[in-house]
Amino acid sequence: MNRIYKLKGLKDMSDKLSFLTLKENVIDVGKCTGCGGCVCCPLNLIEMIGDTPEIVDESKCTKCEICVLKICPRIPESLADLEEKFFERAFTEEDIIGIYNKSFTVTTKNDKIKAVGQDGGVVTSILACLLEEGEIDCVIASKRLPGWGTEAVIVNSIEELYICAGTRYTLSSNLKVLREAIQNYEKIAVVGTPCQIQTIRRLQKNLKRYGKKIKLAIGLFCTEVFTYDGLIKEKIQDELKLDLEDIEKMNIKGKFIIYPKKGDQIEIPLKDLKGHIKEGCHYCTDFSAEYADISVGGVGSKLGWSSVLVRTPAGENALTKAIEKGWLEAPKEISEKGFVILKKLSEKKKTRGK
Ligand SMILES: Cc1cc2nc3c(=O)[nH]c(=O)nc-3n(C[C@H](O)[C@H](O)[C@H](O)COP(=O)(O)OP(=O)(O)OC[C@H]3O[C@@H](n4cnc5c(N)ncnc54)[C@H](O)[C@@H]3O)c2cc1C
């Protein structure tokens, strides 16, 4: 608790924390991840304006402290508490890619997903399977908008999941729709970047309704998120003069690759995009979504396959079911070389984030 009271704007222990505390200590100093979690404010006073949380009416904030102490992943609450709760022990320095029980490289068996998935289509396959089996009744995910924008969505059909497949390398504040999902659904799965999964774990630990209703957290490996203005507008539209509607897919494989609907792929060295990294990502030390039930990424697998780290019984159930029900191919071992790269990227992010 003492660390909390070192926050800016607080005079002593009796001071209550409010949205203003969040604003002064996280948002205004560029640490906000834009995850959208604080929109779960019980009084419904916080909304995302673009990538930034704002309060609708500050005079109505009751200083309940929830957005600061119980949700935000950038407030120094002890992560060890989350680790004990969800993984039965605190992480050690050896846990470079978090705690996991099993690891695989996997791909989808479903042709529709193969066509739209980012890597192995594993995320979409698992979620489609769980929806079909009735194990979940909705998914919080991200949809691609025209012009490569993103939108957080609540999905409750397999057809809609197909529309969400693939990666957008710009921010999608997925958790801004979580409050609405909690009000309308009972068995929720969430897809998100590592910071979004940290928020999910805080919500599950601290707020009963969230703990009860969120059944699965699928984490995506993530080095960083780029700003829409920097990556999409400045680099791709203005500098490369590409029509956004002519782009089929983007991916990162050692470099940033753009796949046009027609013609050759265009490669951008990652160092050329450094200036477009979202500011809040510079504080992040989590590459492999260490707090997820199951983490999925391209690194460590061949093209068209995903690396999967199974971390909890919920994660294991999800993967096993998707294999048993024929959504995924039989999983294979990640190669030694694949693991080396995975751990190297994770270490790099930990060093950079400090
Ligand atoms: C910003 C970002 C950076 C990433 N960086 C890396 C990396 O450096 N190395 C690596 O190995 N993998 C990275 N990934 C993960 C990788 O791109 C794939 O998402 C992952 O391999 C799963 O592939 P899939 O084919 O199983 O997923 P799919 O079946 O295609 O499903 C992808 C899911 O991701 C969700 N999604 C898409 N864009 C976003 C977004 N911006 N924010 C939140 N959710 C989103 C969709 O809603 C969909 O449910 C990154 C992902 C994101 C979103």
Side-chain angles (χ1 to χ4, degrees):
M1 255 321 176
N2 286 341
R3 283 160 75 208
I4 300 289
Y5 286 93
K6 282 186 186 148
L7 293 172
K8 246 194 257 173
L10 300 176
K11 288 180 230 74
D12 55 50
M13 294 285 282
S14 64
D15 264 4
K16 283 281 193 185
L17 314 178
S18 66
F19 180 77
L20 194 65
T21 323
L22 204 60
K23 190 164 159 53
E24 285 185 334
N25 290 275
V26 179
I27 303 165
D28 290 352
V29 293
K31 286 187 183 173
C32 178
T33 66
C35 70
C38 51
V39 175
C40 294
C41 160
L43 295 178
N44 201 12
L45 290 177
I46 304 173
E47 57 183 47
M48 293 298 287
I49 306 293
D51 292 359
T52 309
E54 286 188 14
I55 190 152
V56 180
D57 183 349
E58 207 172 317
S59 68
K60 291 198 176 136
C61 176
T62 56
K63 298 192 173 184
C64 71
E65 308 199 321
I66 287 178
C67 62
V68 191
L69 288 186
K70 303 203 166 169
I71 302 178
C72 182
R74 288 289 187 259
I75 293 288
E77 187 202 36
S78 162
L79 282 175
D81 285 355
L82 292 183
E83 292 154 15
E84 297 277 0
K85 176 159 173 67
F86 294 100
F87 304 96
E88 290 169 9
R89 68 167 173 87
F91 296 174
T92 68
E93 288 209 347
E94 320 274 87
D95 300 314
I96 306 288
I97 49 174
I99 292 173
Y100 60 98
N101 307 323
K102 291 179 182 159
S103 57
F104 299 109
T105 174
V106 192
T107 193
T108 187
K109 266 185 160 177
N110 180 294
D111 287 341
K112 262 191 178 173
I113 299 178
K114 213 167 264 186
V116 290
Q118 183 68 10
D119 292 311
V122 172
V123 174
T124 307
S125 300
I126 288 176
L127 293 169
C129 171
L130 297 184
L131 269 180
E132 191 169 79
E133 296 301 311
E135 294 214 3
I136 54 173
D137 56 13
C138 85
V139 175
I140 289 177
S142 170
K143 190 170 98 176
R144 177 177 140 192
L145 296 178
W148 282 85
T150 60
E151 185 177 54
V153 282
I154 302 170
V155 168
N156 53 21
S157 75
I158 293 177
E159 283 306 315
E160 284 173 283
L161 272 181
Y162 296 152
I163 297 169
C164 293
T167 298
R168 276 65 64 191
Y169 290 96
T170 50
L171 179 70
S172 178
S173 303
N174 284 6
L175 307 190
K176 75 176 183 185
V177 296
L178 184 56
R179 188 175 190 279
E180 187 191 331
I182 289 286
Q183 282 164 351
N184 296 305
Y185 295 90
E186 298 303 318
K187 298 179 280 182
I188 302 167
V190 185
V191 182
T193 49
C195 54
Q196 294 173 346
I197 301 299
Q198 284 189 20
T199 305
I200 286 294
R201 291 311 197 192
R202 279 178 190 217
L203 282 159
Q204 283 179 302
K205 173 175 166 275
N206 296 322
L207 302 175
K208 217 171 168 187
R209 281 215 300 169
Y210 291 81
K212 209 167 135 224
K213 293 193 173 191
I214 299 171
K215 303 295 183 193
L216 183 73
I218 302 188
L220 307 171
F221 295 179
C222 180
T223 308
E224 62 237 333
V225 164
F226 298 102
T227 65
Y228 183 85
D229 282 354
L231 175 69
I232 306 291
K233 282 195 180 159
E234 211 176 293
K235 191 76 199 178
I236 299 181
Q237 266 189 312
D238 298 349
E239 250 182 81
L240 298 173
K241 308 260 179 271
L242 295 176
D243 184 335
L244 296 175
E245 300 318 316
D246 290 341
I247 297 174
E248 178 82 35
K249 184 171 177 173
M250 302 185 199
N251 209 339
I252 299 182
K253 297 285 170 206
K255 48 205 161 229
F256 194 93
I257 308 168
I258 299 171
Y259 300 90
K261 286 179 182 158
K262 283 186 197 143
D264 296 336
Q265 66 186 52
I266 298 150
E267 297 179 356
I268 310 171
L270 286 170
K271 65 176 172 38
D272 293 2
L273 297 177
K274 266 192 172 168
H276 300 315
I277 296 173
K278 185 171 160 50
E279 206 182 350
C281 297
H282 294 296
Y283 296 89
C284 184
T285 54
D286 183 353
F287 170 76
S288 66
E290 294 170 20
Y291 295 85
D293 288 306
I294 185 165
S295 300
V296 188
V299 161
S301 286
K302 63 181 182 188
L303 214 61
W305 288 63
S306 300
S307 300
V308 175
L309 301 173
V310 180
R311 303 186 186 278
T312 66
E316 175 144 17
N317 170 60
L319 183 69
T320 308
K321 197 134 276 172
I323 296 163
E324 275 174 13
K325 296 287 170 187
W327 288 88
L328 293 172
E329 297 280 355
K332 299 180 178 171
E333 293 292 311
I334 298 179
S335 69
E336 220 170 283
K337 198 172 147 207
F339 255 112
V340 170
I341 310 171
L342 179 46
K343 288 189 174 164
K344 202 169 132 198
L345 284 177
S346 215
E347 265 169 351
K348 211 169 151 190
K349 195 159 175 192
K350 288 190 190 306
T351 312
R352 186 182 83 176
K354 281 173 189 162

mmCIF file of all heavy atoms in Angstrom, residues 315-345:
data_model
loop_
_atom_site.group_PDB
_atom_site.id
_atom_site.type_symbol
_atom_site.label_atom_id
_atom_site.label_comp_id
_atom_site.label_asym_id
_atom_site.label_seq_id
_atom_site.Cartn_x
_atom_site.Cartn_y
_atom_site.Cartn_z
ATOM 1 N N GLY A 315 -7.099 -22.910 -19.882
ATOM 2 C CA GLY A 315 -6.375 -22.871 -21.155
ATOM 3 C C GLY A 315 -6.234 -24.263 -21.736
ATOM 4 O O GLY A 315 -6.428 -24.490 -22.939
ATOM 5 N N GLU A 316 -5.941 -25.221 -20.884
ATOM 6 C CA GLU A 316 -5.753 -26.603 -21.338
ATOM 7 C C GLU A 316 -7.069 -27.188 -21.861
ATOM 8 O O GLU A 316 -7.111 -27.830 -22.909
ATOM 9 C CB GLU A 316 -5.207 -27.459 -20.185
ATOM 10 C CG GLU A 316 -5.120 -28.911 -20.563
ATOM 11 C CD GLU A 316 -3.935 -29.625 -19.970
ATOM 12 O OE1 GLU A 316 -3.342 -29.107 -19.004
ATOM 13 O OE2 GLU A 316 -3.618 -30.713 -20.491
ATOM 14 N N ASN A 317 -8.155 -26.914 -21.143
ATOM 15 C CA ASN A 317 -9.472 -27.399 -21.579
ATOM 16 C C ASN A 317 -9.814 -26.834 -22.959
ATOM 17 O O ASN A 317 -10.292 -27.550 -23.838
ATOM 18 C CB ASN A 317 -10.536 -26.974 -20.549
ATOM 19 C CG ASN A 317 -11.932 -27.231 -21.063
ATOM 20 O OD1 ASN A 317 -12.298 -28.367 -21.361
ATOM 21 N ND2 ASN A 317 -12.711 -26.161 -21.218
ATOM 22 N N ALA A 318 -9.529 -25.535 -23.151
ATOM 23 C CA ALA A 318 -9.876 -24.879 -24.417
ATOM 24 C C ALA A 318 -9.109 -25.506 -25.584
ATOM 25 O O ALA A 318 -9.694 -25.845 -26.620
ATOM 26 C CB ALA A 318 -9.568 -23.382 -24.319
ATOM 27 N N LEU A 319 -7.819 -25.698 -25.400
ATOM 28 C CA LEU A 319 -7.002 -26.260 -26.482
ATOM 29 C C LEU A 319 -7.390 -27.715 -26.755
ATOM 30 O O LEU A 319 -7.578 -28.116 -27.916
ATOM 31 C CB LEU A 319 -5.504 -26.154 -26.131
ATOM 32 C CG LEU A 319 -4.571 -26.650 -27.216
ATOM 33 C CD1 LEU A 319 -4.584 -25.719 -28.431
ATOM 34 C CD2 LEU A 319 -3.133 -26.785 -26.715
ATOM 35 N N THR A 320 -7.530 -28.488 -25.693
ATOM 36 C CA THR A 320 -7.857 -29.908 -25.852
ATOM 37 C C THR A 320 -9.182 -30.070 -26.601
ATOM 38 O O THR A 320 -9.312 -30.884 -27.518
ATOM 39 C CB THR A 320 -7.976 -30.584 -24.452
ATOM 40 O OG1 THR A 320 -6.791 -30.266 -23.736
ATOM 41 C CG2 THR A 320 -8.132 -32.072 -24.555
ATOM 42 N N LYS A 321 -10.165 -29.260 -26.192
ATOM 43 C CA LYS A 321 -11.481 -29.355 -26.821
ATOM 44 C C LYS A 321 -11.401 -29.021 -28.320
ATOM 45 O O LYS A 321 -11.978 -29.719 -29.156
ATOM 46 C CB LYS A 321 -12.441 -28.404 -26.104
ATOM 47 C CG LYS A 321 -13.851 -28.694 -26.378
ATOM 48 C CD LYS A 321 -14.749 -28.704 -25.169
ATOM 49 C CE LYS A 321 -14.785 -30.021 -24.404
ATOM 50 N NZ LYS A 321 -15.511 -29.917 -23.158
ATOM 51 N N ALA A 322 -10.648 -27.966 -28.661
ATOM 52 C CA ALA A 322 -10.555 -27.559 -30.067
ATOM 53 C C ALA A 322 -9.859 -28.635 -30.909
ATOM 54 O O ALA A 322 -10.159 -28.791 -32.096
ATOM 55 C CB ALA A 322 -9.832 -26.217 -30.177
ATOM 56 N N ILE A 323 -8.968 -29.400 -30.278
ATOM 57 C CA ILE A 323 -8.311 -30.504 -31.007
ATOM 58 C C ILE A 323 -9.294 -31.677 -31.139
ATOM 59 O O ILE A 323 -9.527 -32.193 -32.227
ATOM 60 C CB ILE A 323 -7.013 -30.944 -30.285
ATOM 61 C CG1 ILE A 323 -5.995 -29.799 -30.279
ATOM 62 C CG2 ILE A 323 -6.422 -32.194 -30.933
ATOM 63 C CD1 ILE A 323 -4.874 -29.952 -29.276
ATOM 64 N N GLU A 324 -9.905 -32.033 -30.010
ATOM 65 C CA GLU A 324 -10.850 -33.181 -30.007
ATOM 66 C C GLU A 324 -12.009 -32.968 -30.973
ATOM 67 O O GLU A 324 -12.460 -33.894 -31.634
ATOM 68 C CB GLU A 324 -11.455 -33.335 -28.603
ATOM 69 C CG GLU A 324 -10.599 -34.136 -27.662
ATOM 70 C CD GLU A 324 -11.183 -34.114 -26.242
ATOM 71 O OE1 GLU A 324 -12.360 -33.704 -26.037
ATOM 72 O OE2 GLU A 324 -10.420 -34.459 -25.342
ATOM 73 N N LYS A 325 -12.490 -31.738 -31.051
ATOM 74 C CA LYS A 325 -13.674 -31.467 -31.879
ATOM 75 C C LYS A 325 -13.295 -31.178 -33.337
ATOM 76 O O LYS A 325 -14.120 -30.750 -34.142
ATOM 77 C CB LYS A 325 -14.466 -30.283 -31.324
ATOM 78 C CG LYS A 325 -15.037 -30.551 -29.937
ATOM 79 C CD LYS A 325 -16.212 -31.519 -30.009
ATOM 80 C CE LYS A 325 -16.648 -31.983 -28.636
ATOM 81 N NZ LYS A 325 -17.656 -33.029 -28.649
ATOM 82 N N GLY A 326 -12.028 -31.321 -33.671
ATOM 83 C CA GLY A 326 -11.611 -31.244 -35.070
ATOM 84 C C GLY A 326 -11.379 -29.835 -35.612
ATOM 85 O O GLY A 326 -11.293 -29.640 -36.813
ATOM 86 N N TRP A 327 -11.261 -28.838 -34.727
ATOM 87 C CA TRP A 327 -10.979 -27.477 -35.203
ATOM 88 C C TRP A 327 -9.484 -27.283 -35.449
ATOM 89 O O TRP A 327 -9.089 -26.490 -36.304
ATOM 90 C CB TRP A 327 -11.450 -26.432 -34.186
ATOM 91 C CG TRP A 327 -12.930 -26.302 -34.107
ATOM 92 C CD1 TRP A 327 -13.783 -27.023 -33.308
ATOM 93 C CD2 TRP A 327 -13.763 -25.417 -34.882
ATOM 94 N NE1 TRP A 327 -15.085 -26.632 -33.527
ATOM 95 C CE2 TRP A 327 -15.110 -25.649 -34.479
ATOM 96 C CE3 TRP A 327 -13.509 -24.456 -35.857
ATOM 97 C CZ2 TRP A 327 -16.175 -24.945 -35.028
ATOM 98 C CZ3 TRP A 327 -14.585 -23.754 -36.398
ATOM 99 C CH2 TRP A 327 -15.892 -23.998 -35.992
ATOM 100 N N LEU A 328 -8.662 -27.999 -34.681
ATOM 101 C CA LEU A 328 -7.203 -27.835 -34.802
ATOM 102 C C LEU A 328 -6.536 -29.147 -35.179
ATOM 103 O O LEU A 328 -6.994 -30.225 -34.782
ATOM 104 C CB LEU A 328 -6.615 -27.346 -33.469
ATOM 105 C CG LEU A 328 -6.997 -25.943 -32.996
ATOM 106 C CD1 LEU A 328 -6.481 -25.709 -31.573
ATOM 107 C CD2 LEU A 328 -6.429 -24.875 -33.938
ATOM 108 N N GLU A 329 -5.414 -29.035 -35.903
ATOM 109 C CA GLU A 329 -4.577 -30.210 -36.208
ATOM 110 C C GLU A 329 -3.960 -30.720 -34.902
ATOM 111 O O GLU A 329 -3.874 -29.969 -33.926
ATOM 112 C CB GLU A 329 -3.407 -29.793 -37.119
ATOM 113 C CG GLU A 329 -3.800 -29.264 -38.474
ATOM 114 C CD GLU A 329 -4.143 -30.372 -39.466
ATOM 115 O OE1 GLU A 329 -3.985 -31.555 -39.132
ATOM 116 O OE2 GLU A 329 -4.586 -30.025 -40.582
ATOM 117 N N ALA A 330 -3.468 -31.943 -34.924
ATOM 118 C CA ALA A 330 -2.756 -32.456 -33.753
ATOM 119 C C ALA A 330 -1.540 -31.565 -33.498
ATOM 120 O O ALA A 330 -0.796 -31.248 -34.432
ATOM 121 C CB ALA A 330 -2.312 -33.887 -34.024
ATOM 122 N N PRO A 331 -1.331 -31.104 -32.287
ATOM 123 C CA PRO A 331 -0.224 -30.191 -32.004
ATOM 124 C C PRO A 331 1.138 -30.860 -32.070
ATOM 125 O O PRO A 331 1.257 -32.075 -31.888
ATOM 126 C CB PRO A 331 -0.519 -29.719 -30.579
ATOM 127 C CG PRO A 331 -1.422 -30.726 -29.993
ATOM 128 C CD PRO A 331 -2.147 -31.408 -31.102
ATOM 129 N N LYS A 332 2.153 -30.034 -32.366
ATOM 130 C CA LYS A 332 3.526 -30.552 -32.416
ATOM 131 C C LYS A 332 4.379 -29.784 -31.405
ATOM 132 O O LYS A 332 3.962 -28.730 -30.929
ATOM 133 C CB LYS A 332 4.110 -30.336 -33.811
ATOM 134 C CG LYS A 332 3.330 -31.066 -34.874
ATOM 135 C CD LYS A 332 3.939 -30.841 -36.235
ATOM 136 C CE LYS A 332 3.131 -31.637 -37.256
ATOM 137 N NZ LYS A 332 3.461 -31.355 -38.605
ATOM 138 N N GLU A 333 5.556 -30.294 -31.145
ATOM 139 C CA GLU A 333 6.481 -29.610 -30.217
ATOM 140 C C GLU A 333 7.040 -28.352 -30.884
ATOM 141 O O GLU A 333 7.355 -28.368 -32.079
ATOM 142 C CB GLU A 333 7.672 -30.527 -29.901
ATOM 143 C CG GLU A 333 7.310 -31.764 -29.096
ATOM 144 C CD GLU A 333 6.892 -31.422 -27.683
ATOM 145 O OE1 GLU A 333 7.632 -30.664 -27.035
ATOM 146 O OE2 GLU A 333 5.816 -31.895 -27.236
ATOM 147 N N ILE A 334 7.215 -27.281 -30.118
ATOM 148 C CA ILE A 334 7.937 -26.111 -30.645
ATOM 149 C C ILE A 334 9.418 -26.497 -30.712
ATOM 150 O O ILE A 334 9.937 -27.141 -29.791
ATOM 151 C CB ILE A 334 7.771 -24.892 -29.697
ATOM 152 C CG1 ILE A 334 6.292 -24.503 -29.589
ATOM 153 C CG2 ILE A 334 8.609 -23.711 -30.154
ATOM 154 C CD1 ILE A 334 6.003 -23.328 -28.656
ATOM 155 N N SER A 335 10.084 -26.148 -31.800
ATOM 156 C CA SER A 335 11.492 -26.537 -31.948
ATOM 157 C C SER A 335 12.358 -25.792 -30.928
ATOM 158 O O SER A 335 11.967 -24.743 -30.411
ATOM 159 C CB SER A 335 11.976 -26.198 -33.358
ATOM 160 O OG SER A 335 12.046 -24.784 -33.485
ATOM 161 N N GLU A 336 13.541 -26.352 -30.691
ATOM 162 C CA GLU A 336 14.480 -25.717 -29.750
ATOM 163 C C GLU A 336 14.818 -24.302 -30.213
ATOM 164 O O GLU A 336 14.848 -23.353 -29.430
ATOM 165 C CB GLU A 336 15.753 -26.560 -29.697
ATOM 166 C CG GLU A 336 16.315 -26.697 -28.299
ATOM 167 C CD GLU A 336 17.410 -27.723 -28.273
ATOM 168 O OE1 GLU A 336 17.103 -28.939 -28.297
ATOM 169 O OE2 GLU A 336 18.566 -27.293 -28.275
ATOM 170 N N LYS A 337 15.000 -24.182 -31.537
ATOM 171 C CA LYS A 337 15.335 -22.870 -32.114
ATOM 172 C C LYS A 337 14.178 -21.879 -31.891
ATOM 173 O O LYS A 337 14.378 -20.705 -31.560
ATOM 174 C CB LYS A 337 15.597 -23.046 -33.614
ATOM 175 C CG LYS A 337 16.361 -21.909 -34.238
ATOM 176 C CD LYS A 337 16.743 -22.264 -35.661
ATOM 177 C CE LYS A 337 16.735 -21.011 -36.517
ATOM 178 N NZ LYS A 337 16.463 -21.307 -37.922
ATOM 179 N N GLY A 338 12.965 -22.396 -32.038
ATOM 180 C CA GLY A 338 11.773 -21.568 -31.827
ATOM 181 C C GLY A 338 11.727 -21.020 -30.404
ATOM 182 O O GLY A 338 11.448 -19.834 -30.187
ATOM 183 N N PHE A 339 12.028 -21.888 -29.447
ATOM 184 C CA PHE A 339 12.032 -21.467 -28.049
ATOM 185 C C PHE A 339 13.095 -20.416 -27.763
ATOM 186 O O PHE A 339 12.881 -19.491 -26.977
ATOM 187 C CB PHE A 339 12.249 -22.681 -27.134
ATOM 188 C CG PHE A 339 10.985 -23.094 -26.469
ATOM 189 C CD1 PHE A 339 10.363 -24.286 -26.781
ATOM 190 C CD2 PHE A 339 10.380 -22.265 -25.527
ATOM 191 C CE1 PHE A 339 9.177 -24.653 -26.191
ATOM 192 C CE2 PHE A 339 9.187 -22.615 -24.916
ATOM 193 C CZ PHE A 339 8.593 -23.817 -25.254
ATOM 194 N N VAL A 340 14.251 -20.586 -28.415
ATOM 195 C CA VAL A 340 15.345 -19.622 -28.204
ATOM 196 C C VAL A 340 14.866 -18.230 -28.625
ATOM 197 O O VAL A 340 15.032 -17.249 -27.891
ATOM 198 C CB VAL A 340 16.615 -20.048 -28.985
ATOM 199 C CG1 VAL A 340 17.668 -18.944 -28.979
ATOM 200 C CG2 VAL A 340 17.180 -21.327 -28.402
ATOM 201 N N ILE A 341 14.207 -18.138 -29.781
ATOM 202 C CA ILE A 341 13.737 -16.821 -30.261
ATOM 203 C C ILE A 341 12.662 -16.268 -29.331
ATOM 204 O O ILE A 341 12.656 -15.088 -28.988
ATOM 205 C CB ILE A 341 13.177 -16.911 -31.713
ATOM 206 C CG1 ILE A 341 14.156 -17.631 -32.627
ATOM 207 C CG2 ILE A 341 12.887 -15.533 -32.276
ATOM 208 C CD1 ILE A 341 13.618 -17.955 -34.000
ATOM 209 N N LEU A 342 11.766 -17.138 -28.920
ATOM 210 C CA LEU A 342 10.669 -16.730 -28.031
ATOM 211 C C LEU A 342 11.234 -16.139 -26.723
ATOM 212 O O LEU A 342 10.822 -15.069 -26.266
ATOM 213 C CB LEU A 342 9.802 -17.967 -27.769
ATOM 214 C CG LEU A 342 8.586 -17.913 -26.878
ATOM 215 C CD1 LEU A 342 7.727 -16.708 -27.191
ATOM 216 C CD2 LEU A 342 7.765 -19.182 -27.057
ATOM 217 N N LYS A 343 12.206 -16.828 -26.150
ATOM 218 C CA LYS A 343 12.787 -16.357 -24.887
ATOM 219 C C LYS A 343 13.607 -15.084 -25.102
ATOM 220 O O LYS A 343 13.601 -14.178 -24.264
ATOM 221 C CB LYS A 343 13.650 -17.466 -24.267
ATOM 222 C CG LYS A 343 12.785 -18.579 -23.715
ATOM 223 C CD LYS A 343 13.552 -19.585 -22.909
ATOM 224 C CE LYS A 343 12.559 -20.580 -22.287
ATOM 225 N NZ LYS A 343 13.168 -21.787 -21.800
ATOM 226 N N LYS A 344 14.279 -15.015 -26.247
ATOM 227 C CA LYS A 344 15.095 -13.833 -26.542
ATOM 228 C C LYS A 344 14.204 -12.576 -26.648
ATOM 229 O O LYS A 344 14.496 -11.539 -26.068
ATOM 230 C CB LYS A 344 15.844 -14.065 -27.860
ATOM 231 C CG LYS A 344 17.081 -13.197 -28.000
ATOM 232 C CD LYS A 344 17.912 -13.653 -29.159
ATOM 233 C CE LYS A 344 18.296 -12.453 -29.995
ATOM 234 N NZ LYS A 344 18.733 -12.809 -31.327
ATOM 235 N N LEU A 345 13.082 -12.712 -27.342
ATOM 236 C CA LEU A 345 12.173 -11.555 -27.495
ATOM 237 C C LEU A 345 11.569 -11.150 -26.159
ATOM 238 O O LEU A 345 11.374 -9.968 -25.868
ATOM 239 C CB LEU A 345 11.060 -11.881 -28.490
ATOM 240 C CG LEU A 345 11.469 -11.864 -29.949
ATOM 241 C CD1 LEU A 345 10.315 -12.277 -30.834
ATOM 242 C CD2 LEU A 345 11.946 -10.470 -30.371
#
